[in-house]
Amino acid sequence: MRENLTAALWRLAVFVLICSLVTFGLFMVFAQLRFDRETTYNAEFTNISGLKNGDFVRIAGVEVGKVKHIAIRPDTIVVVEFSTDNTVLLTQGSRALIRYDNVIGDRYLELQEGAGGVEQLRAGQTIPVDHTEPALDLDALIGGFRPLFRALDPVQVNALTGQLIQAFQGQGMAISSFLAQTASLTSTLADRDELIDQVILNLNTVLKSVGDRSDQLDTTVTSLSELVGRLAVSKTDLTTSLAYSNAAAGSLADLLTQVRPPFKDTVAQSERVNDIVLADHDYFDDLLNTLPDAYQALVRQGLNGDYFSFYLCEAVLKLNGKGGQPVYVRVANQPSGRCTPR
């Protein structure tokens, strides 16, 4: 009887130990804990829209650290404290940029080597604001056209929006074609200078013919004088029309003045959007194709309430091995039942 109790206690102890290790492993995976020695730096930004504590720090797409703390100074400059592995060397020329991690708004901090001094930054030193770049502001990108949209009717807004979307989606060939045709026209005119000279000579002949017919010209001038007199009678209406035209021109000038700065920023930000999407278009296409199915699966998981139910199929621990190489330890694997691959 005593031996059976001892064996049961041993089995219970082994079971508790395994459950504790699995729980700790899951906590390490989902909390994204890092046990490497780290070095902390700071970076100054004018805008960190969307960046938060715990976001990744990456170099060329490789994770090297995390964002530790975000604070704002009285001069509205945002100071981001971040950590990196001890193997990462930052210099006075290093740049910090905030990038989109995915299309749902997550961000990460990217480090790049830029122009500047080669002296190594010490722990706690700061990358200045002239060596940082804020994230792409989609609100500014879309809102930059708002003053222009207000001055147009809905049909014109739809047409203009379609043309802008086509331009920003890479259909710049139409613009290039237009410029090429303009250059071709200019070259054609330059090559036909003799024809232009002939046109001028023909105009001189016409003027001479007009001089020979002074009587008819006098009649024309008289008729024109009568026309001007009639216009003088209607000068009030003409003045009102000119006043309205002047007001319309002023409104248009104000509109263009308001549109120009955000439109310039919109074009610059749109180029960044194109670069980001084109740089990883395979991932972007796959994300757009799989995102609806993923959302449908998440909706089914949340039908029972404001929580999600999950079934553990596989758990793998990623540990740092010798020389910094990753070591993967499988702690759970259930290939059948609910976990059967589809």
Side-chain angles (χ1 to χ4, degrees), residues 239-255:
T239 302
T240 303
S241 299
L242 291 176
Y244 285 138
S245 300
N246 185 42
S251 300
L252 182 60
D254 293 339
L255 173 63

Side-chain angles (χ1 to χ4, degrees), residues 322-339:
K322 185 177 180 181
Q325 298 296 325
V327 177
Y328 300 93
V329 179
R330 188 186 302 276
V331 297
N333 185 22
Q334 175 64 30
S336 61
R338 298 181 183 179
C339 299

Side-chain angles (χ1 to χ4, degrees), residues 3 36-37 41 55 57 75-76 79-80 98 118 125 128 139 151 154 162 191 196 221 237 243 279 303-304 307 323 339:
E3 292 179 355
D36 296 338
R37 297 182 60 185
Y41 301 95
D55 285 345
V57 178
D75 58 355
T76 70
V79 180
V80 176
I98 299 177
V118 295
Q125 285 192 305
D139 293 335
D191 294 337
I196 296 175
V221 172
D237 297 335
L303 289 177
N304 297 324
Y307 58 88
C339 299

Side-chain angles (χ1 to χ4, degrees), residues 233-276:
V233 175
S234 304
K235 63 179 180 180
T236 303
D237 297 335
L238 292 175
T239 302
T240 303
S241 299
L242 291 176
Y244 285 138
S245 300
N246 185 42
S251 300
L252 182 60
D254 293 339
L255 173 63
L256 295 177
T257 301
Q258 297 175 13
V259 167
R260 183 175 181 181
F263 186 79
K264 178 181 178 182
D265 183 63
T266 297
V267 173
Q269 300 289 14
S270 300
E271 183 178 358
R272 289 183 56 194
V273 170
N274 292 336
D275 292 341
I276 293 172

Side-chain angles (χ1 to χ4, degrees), residues 162-172 175 274:
Q163 294 172 2
L164 291 173
I165 291 175
Q166 291 178 358
F168 292 147
Q169 286 180 341
Q171 296 187 6
I175 299 176
N274 292 336

Side-chain angles (χ1 to χ4, degrees), residues 39 41-42 90-92 94 119-123 125-127:
T39 304
Y41 301 95
N42 298 311
L90 299 182
T91 65
Q92 292 181 349
S94 297
E119 182 179 350
Q120 181 179 349
L121 291 180
R122 297 188 301 273
Q125 285 192 305
T126 301
I127 299 177

